[in-house]
């Protein structure tokens, strides 16, 4: 059985700042012969507050602290520990939505479970991964699976399983979205304001980082994003900034996107770290009689560092140029012709592989509403590659294709 004590103080929900302070005490017992003996006890402190009268703004804060004491370790598998959990959220809206921002900050502590993963075969096209027997021994190793580039070769799924191993961790999360839309206030202006009103910005960041308990780095600062830091237990971050010009304009529009994703995971056989960075510039110009021109430029970097797969690690720089032309005849016919030049090169320390690809695409789609649709696609790709073929690294560099001609 258990004993419970609860006490709280709260303000009115209609107050300028409403809030509540809560204290909880719990004592657990178990039968022991003719009496009851204590198993554990806990003291919980909670604080919640919200601002109710801020114009076009929202602000809320919450924090919980728990002090858990284990008296009988033969009955409870838990250990005595002090944990916390907090969340703060703030957002605002300015000038009818010309500027919007929302921020969420969370922190916590607890136990992180170590994981391992295996690959299971499924029906063709139902999975996500492809197996490449790069050492031709007929046995599946963890470093022989890659994300499939084509649906018909996706025959494996990755299954994560938890092992009976825990690590004390400190967790911090930061989410923020910012939107700038000058046209919301400058919709009927001239001069420089009219030019500025053609642009709008969307920016977002999502960070979740876990560090070892007692680590030398701050457990509360979410912007310490060094994946090589041994204090970082796991990390998942994504940054995206997009600038649009003439968004939604039927004649001409363009956009620039800056994107960075980092992921670090702890597994039974070591850390697995992935990074992807891309800068993309895309524009579209609509011509008379159903024609349109599109141009896409990309500069990026793809990085993989897995302690269980050192020979297949890579740090690839990529450059891509992709012009295309499209012709549309009402809603019946759509055709597209495009060319793509793609250059990828690994760093010298990890193999110095170089791939240069030229790709020609032709698409045609014929459709009659509510009756039938006929679609055909043709691609010819020519890859010049100086590395060893048939490995998971070459599959990544060549986008799942082969050196030479591909149809």
């Amino acid at each position: 059985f258990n004993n419970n004590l609860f006490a709280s103080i709260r303000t009115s929900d209609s107050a300028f700042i409403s809030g509540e302070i809560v204290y909880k005490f719990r004592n657990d017992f178990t039968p022991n012969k003719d009496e009851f003996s204590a198993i554990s006890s806990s003291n919980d402190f909670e604080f919640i507050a919200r601002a109710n009268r801020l114009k076009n703004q929202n602000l809320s804060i919450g924090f919980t602290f728990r002090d858990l004491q284990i008296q009988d370790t033969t009955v409870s598998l838990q250990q005595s520990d002090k944990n916390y959990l907090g969340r703060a959220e703030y957002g605002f809206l300015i000038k009818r939505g010309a500027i919007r921002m929302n921020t969420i900050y969370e922190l916590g502590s607890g136990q992180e479970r170590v994981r391992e993963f295996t690959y299971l075969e499924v029906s063709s096209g139902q999975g996500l991964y492809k197996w490449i027997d790069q050492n031709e021994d007929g046995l599946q190793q963890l470093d022989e699976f890659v994300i499939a580039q084509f649906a018909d070769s996706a025959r494996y799924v990755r299954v994560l399983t938890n092992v009976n191993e825990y690590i004390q961790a400190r967790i911090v999360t930061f989410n923020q979205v910012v939107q700038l839309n000058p046209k919301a206030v400058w919709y009927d202006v001239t001069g420089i304001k009219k030019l500025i009103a053609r642009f709008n910005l969307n920016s977002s960041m999502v960070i979740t980082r876990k560090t070892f308990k007692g680590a030398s780095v701050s457990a509360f600062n979410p912007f310490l994003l060094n994946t090589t830091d041994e204090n970082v237990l796991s990390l998942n971050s994504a940054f995206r900034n997009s600038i649009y010009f003439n968004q939604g304009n039927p004649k001409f529009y363009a956009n620039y996107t800056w994107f960075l994703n980092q992921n670090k995971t702890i597994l039974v056989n070591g850390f697995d770290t992935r990074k992807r960075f891309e800068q993309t510039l895309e524009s579209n110009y609509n011509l008379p009689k159903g024609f349109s021109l599109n141009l896409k430029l990309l500069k990026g970097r793809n990085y993989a560092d897995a302690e269980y797969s050192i020979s297949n690690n890579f740090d690839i720089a990529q450059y891509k140029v992709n012009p295309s032309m499209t012709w549309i005849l009402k809603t019946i016919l759509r055709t597209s012709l495009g060319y793509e030049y793609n250059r990828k090169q690994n760093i010298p320390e990890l193999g110095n592989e170089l791939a240069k690809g030229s790709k020609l695409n032709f698409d045609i789609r014929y459709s009659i509403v509510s009756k039938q649709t006929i679609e055909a696609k043709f691609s010819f790709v020519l890859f010049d590659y100086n590395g060893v073929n048939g490995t998971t690294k070459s599959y990544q560099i060549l986008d799942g294709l082969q050196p030479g001609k591909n149809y």
Side-chain angles (χ1 to χ4, degrees), residues 12-19 50-54 57 59:
S12 172
D13 292 339
S14 60
F16 180 78
I17 297 179
S18 60
R50 176 184 292 274
N52 298 312
R53 299 180 185 176
L54 297 177
Q57 300 177 71
L59 173 63

Side-chain angles (χ1 to χ4, degrees), residues 157-168:
V157 294
R158 185 161 76 172
V159 180
L160 287 172
T161 57
N162 296 322
V163 298
N164 193 25
E165 182 180 351
Y166 295 87
I167 297 175
Q168 292 291 329

